[in-house]
Amino acid sequence: MGGSYPAGRLGARIMLEQTEEIEVVAEIQSAEEILSRIEELRPDLVILDFDLEGEASALEACREVKSLPCPPRVLVYAACSSQRTIIAADLVGADGYLHKGLGCGERLPEVAVRIHEGQRDWILGPIQENGPEGLRAKIEGAGLTDREREVLSLLMEGRTNREISHKLCLSLNTVKTHVKKVLRKLGVESRRELSG
């Protein structure tokens, strides 16, 4: 379980330990700790709070966890319910998303069990009126290649072309081409439209 606030981790731990199906084996404070602890402990489920400390983002940590051979399931536990964050979590491979607010956080144990059992569960809490479903449907129907999905996930994180180029080890011109293709396939004119 990863999160930067000790009180938040404690509260989540207490809720999770009330179920027989879940055993908390570690608490992680920063995104940088996650991979080494996963290799050491080999958990079946990682619960990622989007308030992780460190230079790497929780989205980046999720992407790296899901790229491991035989990766654990990942549940994103976040206070944010913006379209950009929800879609980005989906694109980097999260298996579930649970909003902390409005009573949703109390459902952490049951959602964690379902994610652990192989289900996908997305409890979004309050979202913008148009919500992420329209964009998610567009993404699924757009016929994006794996590389285009990678580029889109980085766009959804708010990364610049130069940052995407560095992250994916691609030339800047190649990234610009991928960005144009992604936007065209999704029927949007600029990356600002992706954030709702």
Side-chain angles (χ1 to χ4, degrees):
M1 176 172 56
S4 63
Y5 299 109
R9 290 193 313 267
L10 176 62
R13 176 186 277 274
I14 289 169
M15 283 191 292
L16 290 166
E17 288 180 342
Q18 292 178 5
T19 69
E20 292 181 17
E21 296 92 343
I22 302 287
E23 175 189 0
V24 178
V25 296
E27 294 181 25
I28 297 169
Q29 191 168 342
S30 72
E32 290 81 8
E33 289 180 74
I34 289 177
L35 289 179
S36 64
R37 295 303 303 270
I38 285 174
E39 291 173 4
E40 172 190 340
L41 298 169
R42 303 267 186 233
D44 298 320
L45 173 67
V46 173
I47 300 173
L48 272 180
D49 189 324
F50 266 28
D51 294 329
L52 284 173
E53 290 180 354
E55 301 225 353
S57 71
L59 286 170
E60 181 63 32
C62 182
R63 177 185 294 109
E64 290 183 22
V65 166
K66 295 307 279 186
S67 69
L68 293 170
C70 302
R73 308 279 295 164
V74 175
L75 171 60
V76 171
Y77 186 49
C80 178
S81 62
S82 73
Q83 176 175 308
R84 168 181 258 164
T85 303
I86 293 164
I87 298 297
D90 190 26
L91 287 167
V92 297
D95 299 295
Y97 191 101
L98 177 61
H99 188 271
K100 291 180 183 180
L102 299 176
C104 296
E106 296 165 5
R107 299 178 64 189
L108 178 60
E110 70 182 79
V111 173
V113 168
R114 284 197 300 268
I115 299 299
H116 178 260
E117 291 173 345
Q119 297 178 41
R120 285 180 55 85
D121 208 343
W122 292 75
I123 300 174
L124 307 177
I127 56 175
Q128 299 167 357
E129 191 171 306
N130 58 353
E133 295 306 318
L135 182 56
R136 185 178 290 150
K138 274 186 182 181
I139 291 169
E140 293 305 316
L144 298 175
T145 66
D146 288 342
R147 178 61 83 187
E148 289 166 347
R149 288 179 71 86
E150 282 182 294
V151 169
L152 178 58
S153 74
L154 293 168
L155 285 171
M156 297 299 287
E157 290 179 35
R159 304 279 183 107
T160 66
N161 287 349
R162 189 166 307 285
E163 291 169 329
I164 295 169
S165 171
H166 178 73
K167 174 69 184 158
L168 299 179
C169 299
L170 297 172
S171 74
L172 190 55
N173 285 337
T174 299
V175 169
K176 288 177 181 179
T177 299
H178 283 305
V179 169
K180 286 178 188 174
K181 286 181 179 180
V182 166
L183 296 178
R184 181 179 44 78
K185 287 181 177 183
L186 293 177
V188 297
E189 292 186 27
S190 76
R191 61 178 73 207
R192 283 186 292 280
E193 291 180 56
L194 295 175
S195 63

